Amino acid sequence: IVADGWSLGIVMREIGYFYNRFVNNQAISLAKLPIQYADFTVWQRMWLQGEILGRQLDYWKEQLKDSPPYLDLPFDKQRPQKQSHKGADVSFYLSTQLTEELMDLGHESGVTLYMILLAVLQVLLFRYTKQDHINIGTPVANRIHPDIEGIIGCFVNTLVMSTDLAGNPTFNALVERVKAVALGAYAHQSLPFERLVDSLHLDRSLNQSPLFQVMFVWQNFSTERLELPGLVLEMVPFETQTARFDLTLSMSWDGGKLRGMLEYNTDLFEEET
């Protein structure tokens, strides 16, 4: 709640800078930030009201008006009355060849790799649920002004990518739909997700999250490699054993290939599934 993935890159970079300057007895001099996180919160509160707030809300209400309240996924277990957020994860890699083919498809279609992967995931969920509308949550950096690019703080916001798969479209046609949905969402990304949920007056439930139960995370922010003189550093992976949603698919680059991690709620799914 105090930092996002983008912020951690800043932390790593500045730790490396401080440490290197310190051990070499060099003066420390970082450029002063033009604004602070508190300035951003004040700006957001002043900006997000009146006509601007109305336009943002109208867009999202129109986008989500026909979407189902939940995805009817085939679970291994009965959903408990209250979410426990118990979880586990499984990792996998896509081959270099498949990764390159996905990138080529994106170039040919004029869309980003994120949009291709999102379309694939929505097709997969459509196959399992037979629901024409697929809602997937996705985080965005929400750093829409250069003055906030160097600030440590939680700017990230959650968007709902609600795609209509009705009419048995070809995959290329679906990609165009996904592109339109994504670009529209990016243009209206400043409305806090909590504000959206409150404004829709949804029937809330203790056993599932509102608007979406599956999240897709595309880890494309810069990950700084920390190098400290005289030290050998190693990344230590760990399992959180938690799940924020029914399923969360995270994709990232790893040595020229795409690495995926699927976090799942253990109250609902078995690892084999």
Side-chain angles (χ1 to χ4, degrees), residues 239-255:
E239 293 185 12
T240 62
Q241 297 183 329
T242 59
R244 292 171 296 166
F245 305 100
D246 293 356
L247 291 171
T248 298
L249 175 62
S250 299
M251 301 293 294
S252 60
W253 289 108
D254 190 347

Side-chain angles (χ1 to χ4, degrees), residues 106-142:
H107 290 315
E108 294 167 6
S109 305
V111 300
T112 64
L113 184 57
Y114 164 83
M115 295 173 186
I116 292 289
L117 295 173
L118 177 62
V120 171
L121 179 59
Q122 289 182 318
V123 168
L124 182 66
L125 294 175
F126 166 75
R127 292 295 191 189
Y128 278 108
T129 64
K130 301 297 187 290
Q131 290 171 277
D132 287 340
H133 264 86
I134 303 294
N135 283 3
I136 293 181
T138 196
V140 289
N142 200 30

Side-chain angles (χ1 to χ4, degrees), residues 56-64 160 185 188 191 196:
Q56 294 265 334
L57 286 172
D58 288 345
Y59 169 82
W60 285 109
K61 287 178 180 178
E62 178 66 23
Q63 278 294 110
L64 300 172
V160 184
H188 300 84
L191 181 70
L196 171 63

Side-chain angles (χ1 to χ4, degrees), residues 1-13 139-143 148-149 151-157 217-224 244:
I1 61 174
V2 296
D4 49 27
W6 184 301
S7 298
L8 297 182
I10 300 172
V11 171
M12 299 282 273
R13 185 169 64 248
V140 289
N142 200 30
R143 295 182 185 243
I148 62 178
E149 289 182 357
I151 298 176
I152 294 170
C154 191
F155 292 88
V156 70
N157 191 26
V217 181
W218 174 229
Q219 303 280 19
N220 65 337
F221 53 80
S222 174
T223 53
E224 299 287 334
R244 292 171 296 166

Side-chain angles (χ1 to χ4, degrees), residues 106-268:
H107 290 315
E108 294 167 6
S109 305
V111 300
T112 64
L113 184 57
Y114 164 83
M115 295 173 186
I116 292 289
L117 295 173
L118 177 62
V120 171
L121 179 59
Q122 289 182 318
V123 168
L124 182 66
L125 294 175
F126 166 75
R127 292 295 191 189
Y128 278 108
T129 64
K130 301 297 187 290
Q131 290 171 277
D132 287 340
H133 264 86
I134 303 294
N135 283 3
I136 293 181
T138 196
V140 289
N142 200 30
R143 295 182 185 243
I144 56 179
H145 194 281
D147 281 351
I148 62 178
E149 289 182 357
I151 298 176
I152 294 170
C154 191
F155 292 88
V156 70
N157 191 26
T158 301
L159 305 180
V160 184
M161 299 298 183
S162 182
T163 304
D164 182 3
L165 285 83
N168 193 27
T170 65
F171 185 73
N172 286 336
L174 175 62
V175 167
E176 287 300 312
R177 295 185 190 182
V178 170
K179 178 181 179 180
V181 168
L183 293 179
Y186 297 154
H188 300 84
Q189 66 178 278
S190 296
L191 181 70
F193 179 73
E194 296 80 5
R195 190 77 175 267
L196 171 63
V197 172
D198 289 342
S199 69
L200 293 177
H201 305 295
L202 303 170
D203 292 331
R204 302 295 293 273
S205 171
L206 293 175
N207 66 359
Q208 59 187 358
S209 57
L211 292 179
F212 67 89
Q213 294 80 45
V214 176
M215 175 169 271
F216 176 49
V217 181
W218 174 229
Q219 303 280 19
N220 65 337
F221 53 80
S222 174
T223 53
E224 299 287 334
R225 183 175 179 83
L226 188 58
E227 295 185 0
L228 305 180
L231 298 179
V232 176
L233 305 179
E234 180 184 355
M235 293 285 279
V236 179
F238 67 95
E239 293 185 12
T240 62
Q241 297 183 329
T242 59
R244 292 171 296 166
F245 305 100
D246 293 356
L247 291 171
T248 298
L249 175 62
S250 299
M251 301 293 294
S252 60
W253 289 108
D254 190 347
K257 296 187 292 186
L258 283 172
R259 177 180 183 268
M261 188 186 77
L262 194 64
E263 177 186 275
Y264 61 95
N265 189 310
T266 53
D267 283 339
L268 303 175

Side-chain angles (χ1 to χ4, degrees), residues 94-104 253 256-258:
L94 302 186
S95 68
T96 302
Q97 180 182 348
L98 180 54
T99 298
E100 291 174 351
E101 290 173 349
L102 288 167
M103 293 176 65
D104 290 342
W253 289 108
K257 296 187 292 186
L258 283 172

